[in-house]
Amino acid sequence: MLRVGLTGGIGSGKSTVSAQLAGHGAVVIDYDQLARDAVAAGSRGLREIAERFGDGVISADGTLDRPALGSIVFADPGALRDLEAITHPAIHRLAAEREVAAGDEAIVVHDNPLLVEMGGAERCDVVVVVDVPEHVQVERLTTIRGMTEADARSRIAAQASRTTRTGAADLVIDNTGPRDELVRIVGGLWDELVSRAAARPGSRSS
């Protein structure tokens, strides 16, 4: 198994890269989905969130009110750390289960926007960072996702800095170009990952 960590700041296009890698044959573990699973209705994680942040972050149907919680944690670093202390252990457990299910010969991509913040980079064989300048992130978040500029910058500030992310990278993808250029870059990345997987001790191709 080759364990690949894929990360990038909000609005960087990481999810597009992830989808393209899945199209090439990677087994993608989507940490946004794991984060939802970790706080699903009736889960231990959701109960702990309600205890810490109050019933105001729980919707009438018993699910997490993400906008309400987001308005709290993205304005308060201490609150964000408290949330992460609840969710990160559960997410790690779910990721480990999905990785085992992928099998020994798989190229497993941990698609995690918080890979660096969660300490996941150290557990990966290869770390890939999708990178764009902050002004590009802001432009995408305001025009595509409809955020205000202040909200966009708050979300960006809540994540690791570009310097921190790229400092943890083995490979950096510049996603400021057109989509067809990204397709070409990801194709080359896949070839590199296949080569690395084949060279690993115990691989059937080694």
Side-chain angles (χ1 to χ4, degrees):
M1 177 185 294
L2 185 73
R3 185 180 291 109
V4 181
L6 175 66
T7 193
I10 185 171
S12 66
K14 172 188 62 61
S15 296
T16 301
V17 173
S18 176
Q20 291 182 17
L21 288 172
H24 282 290
V27 175
V28 175
I29 299 176
D30 180 352
Y31 276 64
D32 286 337
Q33 182 60 53
L34 296 188
R36 289 189 287 272
D37 293 345
V39 296
S43 68
R44 172 183 170 185
L46 188 61
R47 290 194 299 273
E48 291 180 354
I49 286 172
E51 290 171 3
R52 166 59 181 84
F53 297 100
D55 291 337
V57 300
I58 307 299
S59 300
D61 62 359
T63 59
L64 180 64
D65 185 334
R66 292 183 178 277
L69 181 60
S71 67
I72 296 172
V73 301
F74 289 114
D76 181 350
L80 181 59
R81 286 192 294 271
D82 288 346
L83 176 63
E84 290 170 347
I86 294 170
T87 58
H88 286 186
I91 291 170
H92 282 309
R93 288 194 297 271
L94 291 171
E97 292 172 2
R98 284 158 175 72
E99 188 176 84
V100 169
D104 292 341
E105 296 299 313
I107 295 177
V108 177
V109 174
H110 290 260
D111 175 0
N112 185 357
L114 301 178
L115 183 78
V116 175
E117 295 91 322
M118 293 176 67
E122 293 80 3
R123 292 190 288 272
C124 294
D125 301 308
V126 185
V127 174
V128 179
V129 172
V130 185
D131 184 58
V132 295
E134 184 173 318
H135 72 86
V136 175
Q137 291 177 272
V138 172
E139 180 182 1
R140 290 175 179 175
L141 294 175
T142 54
T143 59
I144 298 174
R145 301 197 191 183
M147 293 184 185
T148 65
E149 181 175 342
D151 206 15
R153 292 192 183 279
S154 176
R155 295 297 180 97
I156 292 168
Q159 296 184 327
S161 68
R162 287 181 70 197
T163 301
T164 300
R165 272 195 304 271
T166 56
D170 296 298
L171 301 168
V172 176
I173 292 177
D174 179 353
N175 189 25
T176 55
R179 185 179 179 88
D180 58 350
E181 181 179 344
L182 182 63
V183 170
R184 178 185 59 77
I185 292 171
V186 175
L189 169 63
W190 177 251
D191 290 342
E192 171 68 15
L193 296 178
V194 169
S195 176
R196 293 192 184 207
R200 289 180 63 79
S203 168
R204 292 175 186 171
S205 301
S206 61

